[in-house]
Every structure is written in C-alpha cells, then in structure tokens.
Amino acid sequence: MSAKKTPAEAFSNLWVRDATRLEVDWMIKKHYLHKWAGVVLKVFGLEQDGVCVGVCTYSLPAFQMNTRYGCKCCWELSRLWIDDKMPCNTESWFISKTIALIRKEHPEVEALVSFADPEAGHVGTIYKAANWVMEGVQDEERKSPRVDLYIGEKKFARFDRAFRAADAQGLPRAEIGRAHV
C-alpha cells in the first residue's frame, strides 16, 4: 500500500497555463451547462503530465458588479470543470493559481465574482474552500432576480429582466461569493 501524498506531492505534476477555446472546448461541453459563457476574457487550462485535465474561464459579469463593488474592473469566474479523477482539493488549488496569474497579468482587475446554481445542486462548496467571501443568496423578493429560463426540461439562458413565453419557467440562481484580487 502506498503512503498518502501530501498536498505538495499531489499537485507537483500539475500546472496552470493560458489555453485556447479550441483546446478546452471538449471540457466546456462536459461542464453541467455544456456551453461557453457570454464574453470570455480569460481561459486557463489545468495540465497533468502534459494532458489537459481542467478548465477555468473568467468572463464579463453583469455590468452592475463594478458598481456593486466600487471598482472599474470586475471579472466573473464563469466556468470550472476538472476531471473527476483528480485528487481532492484540486478545484480550490486551481482557482488559487488562476487568481495569482490574474493578479500578475491583469492588475486592472479589482474583484472576482462567481455564482452557484442551486438548481444544479451547487451550494458554493468549492468557493468556500477557496476562501471566497459569501455575499448571500439572492431572494425571490428582489426586483430583478437572476433566473435561468426553462421550457419543459430545456434550459435556454440566464437573464435578469426579460419577457418570457407563458410556458417558460424561471428558476432563481444564488449568488455565492467574491474574491478580492
């Protein structure tokens, strides 16, 4: 029986690098949303021994985020997918490495935000493990709650304010947290 690896040993053969949409598109299709976010600003790939095993993308968030956090430049962590074969805590390790690279390469970014999707069973565990600050859950009493648009079982889009067909159901999304860069 082999000895349990320390965190440093578990991640010693991993590295984070800029990636192109083309090389990580297959991973985005494995993400539970199966599609890219709207305006992607940065794509990171996670490699293990030269093989891409994860992707993390940052996108433009809703324009209100800059006002909300009193900054000129805010990005949204919009997609995170990592192969299930990866060791525990790979997600938080990967996020921390992408944040370090954003700090170094994009000093204009003042805040990062992300959202957990309760309809997919997400409660923000990875963000909490990565020391993001929980901002709370958006309630349905809000004037323009963020929702996903469904007609039957088919998911169409996330929207703040929009008209929808009578047979469409809007399901609320939860805002989970932010990280100061």
Side-chain angles (χ1 to χ4, degrees):
M1 183 162 74
S2 63
K4 188 174 180 179
K5 290 183 176 183
T6 66
E9 292 170 331
F11 303 129
S12 64
N13 63 342
L14 298 178
W15 61 288
V16 178
R17 66 170 178 82
D18 287 345
T20 66
R21 289 175 70 115
L22 183 62
E23 61 189 330
V24 299
D25 188 59
W26 67 272
M27 287 184 274
I28 294 294
K29 289 178 179 158
K30 287 183 173 258
H31 184 272
Y32 81 98
L33 292 174
H34 309 292
K35 62 183 179 181
W36 288 88
V39 181
V40 177
L41 301 170
K42 191 74 172 174
V43 179
F44 292 103
L46 176 65
E47 288 197 2
Q48 180 182 45
D49 300 325
V51 176
C52 210
V53 295
V55 63
C56 182
T57 67
Y58 289 88
S59 305
L60 279 180
F63 72 92
Q64 302 94 330
M65 291 298 127
N66 289 338
T67 303
R68 179 176 186 167
Y69 296 115
C71 62
K72 292 181 181 170
C73 187
C74 178
W75 286 5
E76 178 181 344
L77 191 165
S78 53
R79 298 291 185 271
L80 177 67
W81 181 88
I82 296 176
D83 191 304
D84 289 337
K85 297 175 190 164
M86 299 309 296
C88 290
N89 304 317
T90 300
E91 292 89 348
S92 55
W93 182 88
F94 186 23
I95 290 170
S96 72
K97 296 301 180 189
T98 66
I99 291 172
L101 288 168
I102 290 170
R103 282 183 178 141
K104 180 180 176 185
E105 299 170 5
H106 298 278
E108 72 278 9
V109 178
E110 300 173 75
L112 300 172
V113 297
S114 196
F115 300 89
D117 187 350
E119 290 301 314
H122 301 166
V123 295
T125 303
I126 294 167
Y127 304 120
K128 292 172 190 172
N131 293 319
W132 286 50
V133 176
M134 179 145 173
E135 293 287 303
V137 176
Q138 291 182 352
D139 60 21
E140 295 182 44
E141 305 304 317
R142 189 179 150 193
K143 278 186 176 178
S144 60
R146 290 181 70 143
V147 297
D148 285 317
L149 178 62
Y150 286 85
I151 298 179
E153 294 293 313
K154 184 167 169 104
K155 183 181 204 176
F156 287 90
R158 181 175 77 192
F159 63 91
D160 284 325
R161 293 183 196 179
F163 295 99
R164 58 180 184 249
D167 59 347
Q169 179 183 12
L171 298 173
R173 294 178 67 98
E175 182 175 330
I176 193 64
R178 65 180 159 85
H180 287 286
V181 180

Short mmCIF file of all heavy atoms in Angstrom, two decimals, residues 15 22-23 53 66 68 82 116 127 130 158:
data_model
loop_
_atom_site.label_atom_id
_atom_site.label_comp_id
_atom_site.label_asym_id
_atom_site.label_seq_id
_atom_site.Cartn_x
_atom_site.Cartn_y
_atom_site.Cartn_z
N TRP A 15 0.12 21.86 -13.62
CA TRP A 15 0.47 23.25 -13.88
C TRP A 15 -0.67 23.94 -14.62
O TRP A 15 -1.47 23.31 -15.27
CB TRP A 15 1.81 23.39 -14.58
CG TRP A 15 1.97 22.77 -15.92
CD1 TRP A 15 2.06 21.44 -16.21
CD2 TRP A 15 2.06 23.44 -17.18
NE1 TRP A 15 2.20 21.26 -17.57
CE2 TRP A 15 2.22 22.47 -18.18
CE3 TRP A 15 2.03 24.78 -17.55
CZ2 TRP A 15 2.33 22.79 -19.52
CZ3 TRP A 15 2.16 25.10 -18.89
CH2 TRP A 15 2.32 24.11 -19.85
N LEU A 22 -10.32 26.50 -28.42
CA LEU A 22 -10.32 25.28 -29.22
C LEU A 22 -9.81 24.07 -28.42
O LEU A 22 -10.41 23.00 -28.45
CB LEU A 22 -9.47 25.47 -30.49
CG LEU A 22 -9.45 24.31 -31.46
CD1 LEU A 22 -10.84 24.03 -32.01
CD2 LEU A 22 -8.49 24.61 -32.61
N GLU A 23 -8.73 24.25 -27.67
CA GLU A 23 -8.17 23.10 -26.96
C GLU A 23 -8.95 22.68 -25.73
O GLU A 23 -8.81 21.54 -25.28
CB GLU A 23 -6.70 23.32 -26.63
CG GLU A 23 -6.38 24.48 -25.75
CD GLU A 23 -4.88 24.76 -25.65
OE1 GLU A 23 -4.06 23.82 -25.75
OE2 GLU A 23 -4.54 25.93 -25.46
N VAL A 53 -6.53 18.49 -18.07
CA VAL A 53 -7.49 17.79 -17.20
C VAL A 53 -8.50 18.76 -16.56
O VAL A 53 -9.33 18.33 -15.76
CB VAL A 53 -6.78 16.97 -16.11
CG1 VAL A 53 -5.98 15.84 -16.72
CG2 VAL A 53 -5.90 17.86 -15.24
N ASN A 66 -19.48 46.03 -11.21
CA ASN A 66 -18.49 47.09 -10.99
C ASN A 66 -19.02 48.13 -10.01
O ASN A 66 -18.32 48.56 -9.10
CB ASN A 66 -18.09 47.75 -12.30
CG ASN A 66 -17.25 46.84 -13.18
OD1 ASN A 66 -16.62 45.89 -12.70
ND2 ASN A 66 -17.25 47.11 -14.46
N ARG A 68 -21.49 47.65 -7.83
CA ARG A 68 -21.71 47.00 -6.53
C ARG A 68 -20.44 46.94 -5.69
O ARG A 68 -20.47 47.15 -4.48
CB ARG A 68 -22.24 45.59 -6.76
CG ARG A 68 -22.48 44.83 -5.49
CD ARG A 68 -23.09 43.49 -5.77
NE ARG A 68 -23.44 42.86 -4.52
CZ ARG A 68 -24.19 41.81 -4.43
NH1 ARG A 68 -24.70 41.26 -5.50
NH2 ARG A 68 -24.45 41.27 -3.26
N ILE A 82 -13.16 20.14 -13.87
CA ILE A 82 -11.95 19.36 -13.63
C ILE A 82 -12.33 17.89 -13.69
O ILE A 82 -13.36 17.48 -13.15
CB ILE A 82 -11.33 19.70 -12.26
CG1 ILE A 82 -10.88 21.17 -12.27
CG2 ILE A 82 -10.16 18.78 -11.92
CD1 ILE A 82 -10.34 21.68 -10.98
N ALA A 116 -23.20 30.28 -7.66
CA ALA A 116 -23.53 28.87 -7.54
C ALA A 116 -24.95 28.67 -8.04
O ALA A 116 -25.80 29.55 -7.87
CB ALA A 116 -23.41 28.42 -6.09
N TYR A 127 -16.07 27.36 -3.71
CA TYR A 127 -15.74 28.76 -3.45
C TYR A 127 -15.41 28.97 -1.97
O TYR A 127 -14.48 29.68 -1.62
CB TYR A 127 -16.87 29.70 -3.88
CG TYR A 127 -17.24 29.53 -5.34
CD1 TYR A 127 -18.51 29.16 -5.72
CD2 TYR A 127 -16.28 29.73 -6.33
CE1 TYR A 127 -18.84 28.99 -7.05
CE2 TYR A 127 -16.61 29.56 -7.66
CZ TYR A 127 -17.89 29.19 -8.01
OH TYR A 127 -18.21 29.03 -9.33
N ALA A 130 -12.07 27.77 -1.25
CA ALA A 130 -11.05 28.65 -1.83
C ALA A 130 -11.02 30.02 -1.13
O ALA A 130 -10.39 30.94 -1.60
CB ALA A 130 -11.30 28.83 -3.32
N ARG A 158 -29.66 32.43 -18.94
CA ARG A 158 -29.79 33.14 -17.68
C ARG A 158 -30.13 34.58 -18.03
O ARG A 158 -29.58 35.13 -18.97
CB ARG A 158 -28.45 33.07 -16.94
CG ARG A 158 -28.48 33.76 -15.61
CD ARG A 158 -27.17 33.55 -14.92
NE ARG A 158 -26.17 34.41 -15.50
CZ ARG A 158 -24.89 34.31 -15.26
NH1 ARG A 158 -24.43 33.37 -14.49
NH2 ARG A 158 -24.03 35.14 -15.80
#
